[in-house]
């Protein structure tokens, strides 16, 4: 048995499963899902649990100024750039137990399997928890991986506010205060490679009856915050011609965009997931409406064209209100390097786990790491492709298979020059 195979064999299915169940208690929802917002008390509790699991393994914990948590398995050559693996612990408001969590726990399981197999990597291997991937409480998301890779500055991400006006910066200060025993590491450092394990969040693997997906790339994504400003007025006394109704204008924009952002083969993804109306009172003509736009396409040219339609439609339908379109995310589609895909494929082959190649329609922190180091992703099936939903489900066997492939790939990467 080669070292990567021995490490994969030491992955413990029951331990990995019970850790998913344990983390799901932090922010558990009545319908069996999770609501664990970024940098909330629930997310801090999940981080604390990670530290408790990491300590007996001798993993060295550190936070960076963006709140990313690193749990380092030391390497024989500690000065070599580490291999990183992980994902996120924050969830959507009606999120599940696996989106993000699996990637973090699979990386931890790989480290624990290495310890159990007596495998000491040449390079350090960091299990990483990226801050605010989901962008639910603080939009845009991917705060941690964007700050780590220099896509946005620490100042930029720190200024982002939640609905209550609390900033990422003040929550990061609260994080440091809550974990005084965890040292702070500088933001950003050279990385040898990054591998992220994740549930597929789509139906392809389950439909094909395959446990492993080798991710070819991530589709492009643009997001916007559209602010429609009108004027509050009395619902009983103000005639139609005198109204500047922000909700009515927002509704017209949303309706026009759902009609315009379509294609014959149903490839483009367009979502208005949030609408905030002010003052949100039955007898006041709305003075302000803020809506979110999430736009995705696997190809750059159509994505740009639909983005142009978004801004043009908002401008055209603004009157009698004022409309401001603020772009939040502009991430082009990307393809992971064939070398990383081949590494994952070879590991699956050696472990006799059947697989297929597939693209990721969902976004991941791997998108940002892709621009600074060789990056790849491993998918496992989830039930009916359901995700961003409390009903999200995966099987212990599939999660363990994904963790085995991940462990073998990390062992291989951590041995290389
Ligand atoms: C990630 O959660 C995404 O929305 O793609
Ligand atoms: Mn995720
Ligand atoms: Mn998600």
């Amino acid at each position: 048995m080669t070292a990567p195979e021995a490490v994969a064999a030491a992955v413990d299915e029951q331990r990995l499963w019970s850790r998913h169940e344990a983390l799901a208690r932090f922010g558990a929802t009545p319908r069996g899902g999770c609501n664990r917002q970024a940098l909330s008390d629930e997310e801090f509790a999940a981080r604390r649990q990670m530290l408790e699991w990491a300590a007996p393994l001798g993993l060295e914990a550190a936070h960076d100024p963006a709140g990313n948590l690193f749990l380092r398995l030391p390497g024989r050559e500690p000065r070599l750039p580490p291999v990183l693996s992980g994902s996120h612990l924050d969830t959507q408001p009606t999120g599940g137990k696996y989106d993000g969590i699996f990637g973090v726990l699979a990386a931890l399981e790989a480290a624990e399997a290495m310890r159990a197999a007596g495998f000491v990597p040449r390079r350090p291997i960091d299990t990483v928890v990226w801050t605010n991937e989901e962008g639910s409480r603080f939009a845009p998301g991917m705060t941690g991986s964007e700050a780590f890779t220099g896509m946005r500055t620490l100042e930029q991400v720190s200024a982002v506010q939640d609905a209550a006006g609390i900033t990422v910066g003040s929550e990061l200060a609260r994080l440091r205060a809550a974990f005084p025993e965890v040292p702070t590491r500088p933001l950003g450092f050279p990385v040898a490679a990054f591998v992220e394990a994740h549930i597929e969040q789509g139906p392809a693997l389950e439909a094909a009856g395959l446990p492993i997906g080798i991710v070819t790339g991530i589709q492009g994504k643009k997001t916007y915050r559209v602010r429609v400003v009108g004027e509050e007025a009395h619902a009983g006394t103000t005639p139609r011609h005198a109204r500047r109704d922000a909700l009515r204008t927002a509704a017209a924009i949303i309706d026009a965009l759902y009609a315009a952002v379509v294609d014959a083969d149903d490839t483009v993804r367009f979502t208005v997931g949030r609408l905030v109306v002010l003052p949100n009172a039955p007898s006041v003509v709305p003075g302000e409406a803020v809506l979110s736009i999430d736009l995705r396409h696997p190809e750059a040219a159509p994505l740009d064209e639909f983005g142009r339609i978004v801004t043009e439609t908002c401008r055209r339908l603004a009157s009698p209100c004022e409309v401001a379109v603020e772009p939040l995310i502009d991430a082009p589609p990307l393809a992971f390097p064939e070398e990383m895909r081949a590494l994952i494929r070879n590991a699956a082959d050696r472990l006799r786990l059947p697989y297929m190649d597939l693209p990721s329609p969902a976004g991941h922190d791997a998108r940002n790491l892709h621009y600074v180091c060789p990056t790849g992703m491993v998918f496992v099936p989830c039930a009916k492709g359901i995700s961003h939903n409390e009903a999200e489900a995966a099987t212990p066997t599939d999660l363990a298979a994904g963790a085995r492939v991940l462990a073998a790939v990390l062992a291989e990467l951590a041995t290389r020059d």
Side-chain angles (χ1 to χ4, degrees), residues 270-340:
F270 174 84
T271 306
V272 175
R274 175 177 286 165
L275 177 62
V276 178
V277 179
L278 295 174
N280 210 22
S283 298
V284 182
V285 174
E288 189 171 330
V290 181
L291 57 120
S292 64
I293 290 176
D294 181 309
L295 174 67
R296 311 195 196 200
H297 198 285
E299 291 162 50
L303 181 66
D304 288 345
E305 175 57 15
F306 284 122
R308 197 193 57 71
I309 289 173
V310 166
T311 46
E312 194 275 322
T313 302
C314 291
R315 199 167 302 131
R316 183 167 51 81
L317 297 179
S319 178
C321 299
E322 269 117 55
V323 175
V325 181
E326 183 188 356
L328 295 179
I329 295 175
D330 187 3
L334 65 85
F336 291 126
E338 172 51 32
E339 188 216 349
M340 292 296 285

Side-chain angles (χ1 to χ4, degrees), residues 3 12 21 120 140 142 149 184 197 228 257 272 281 341 343 346 356 379 385 389 403 414:
D12 185 325
E21 293 296 305
V120 181
M142 302 215 188
T149 56
T184 303
V228 182
L257 286 176
V272 175
R341 290 162 52 185
L343 206 63
N346 291 342
M356 66 189 272
F379 274 174
N389 184 314

Side-chain angles (χ1 to χ4, degrees), residues 87-88 99-101 133-134 196 198 201 363-364 388:
S87 192
H88 57 97
D99 173 3
I101 297 69
E133 190 271 352
E134 296 287 9
E196 181 167 357
H198 209 282
Q201 304 180 284
H364 303 285
H388 287 190

Side-chain angles (χ1 to χ4, degrees), residues 58-104:
L59 306 190
E60 297 160 1
H63 273 129
D64 73 8
N68 298 313
L69 173 62
F70 301 89
L71 303 168
R72 172 162 294 192
L73 179 70
R76 276 182 281 115
E77 296 184 45
R79 272 180 294 280
L80 287 180
V83 174
L84 262 57
S85 183
S87 192
H88 57 97
L89 293 177
D90 64 315
T91 73
Q92 295 290 340
T94 51
K97 301 174 182 172
Y98 308 98
D99 173 3
I101 297 69
F102 170 57
V104 171

Side-chain angles (χ1 to χ4, degrees), residues 143-396:
T143 299
S145 59
E146 289 203 354
F148 182 86
T149 56
M151 302 287 169
R152 283 188 289 156
T153 64
L154 189 59
E155 289 67 33
Q156 284 173 311
V157 299
S158 296
V160 175
Q161 298 183 0
D162 70 5
I166 298 170
T167 62
V168 167
S170 65
E171 291 297 63
L172 289 174
R174 208 168 66 85
L175 178 74
R176 278 190 295 278
F179 294 91
E181 74 283 12
V182 177
T184 303
R185 178 192 276 195
L187 183 61
F189 49 81
V191 177
F194 177 66
V195 187
E196 181 167 357
H198 209 282
I199 58 164
E200 182 199 337
Q201 304 180 284
L205 290 173
E206 186 185 53
L210 297 171
I212 299 295
I214 296 162
V215 183
T216 53
I218 302 181
Q219 77 171 338
K221 174 177 180 178
K222 292 179 191 283
T223 68
Y224 306 85
R225 184 184 292 128
V226 179
R227 187 180 302 275
V228 182
V229 179
E231 189 177 24
E232 290 87 3
H234 194 293
T237 61
T238 316
R240 196 177 64 234
H241 78 266
R243 292 184 182 211
R244 297 206 301 130
D245 183 333
L247 179 55
R248 188 169 176 197
T249 296
I253 288 172
I254 293 169
D255 198 41
L257 286 176
Y258 270 109
V261 184
V262 289
D263 49 14
D265 56 0
D266 202 6
T267 301
V268 68
R269 302 283 180 262
F270 174 84
T271 306
V272 175
R274 175 177 286 165
L275 177 62
V276 178
V277 179
L278 295 174
N280 210 22
S283 298
V284 182
V285 174
E288 189 171 330
V290 181
L291 57 120
S292 64
I293 290 176
D294 181 309
L295 174 67
R296 311 195 196 200
H297 198 285
E299 291 162 50
L303 181 66
D304 288 345
E305 175 57 15
F306 284 122
R308 197 193 57 71
I309 289 173
V310 166
T311 46
E312 194 275 322
T313 302
C314 291
R315 199 167 302 131
R316 183 167 51 81
L317 297 179
S319 178
C321 299
E322 269 117 55
V323 175
V325 181
E326 183 188 356
L328 295 179
I329 295 175
D330 187 3
L334 65 85
F336 291 126
E338 172 51 32
E339 188 216 349
M340 292 296 285
R341 290 162 52 185
L343 206 63
I344 299 167
R345 198 176 299 123
N346 291 342
D349 270 333
R350 284 204 307 256
L351 299 173
R352 294 189 173 70
L353 289 165
Y355 55 81
M356 66 189 272
D357 284 4
L358 80 179
S360 174
H364 303 285
D365 293 301
R367 158 180 288 147
N368 295 317
L369 275 293
H370 169 74
Y371 295 107
V372 300
C373 67
T375 294
M377 287 192 73
V378 182
F379 274 174
V380 296
C382 60
K384 301 191 184 81
I386 294 170
S387 190
H388 287 190
N389 184 314
E390 290 156 287
E392 188 179 82
T395 68

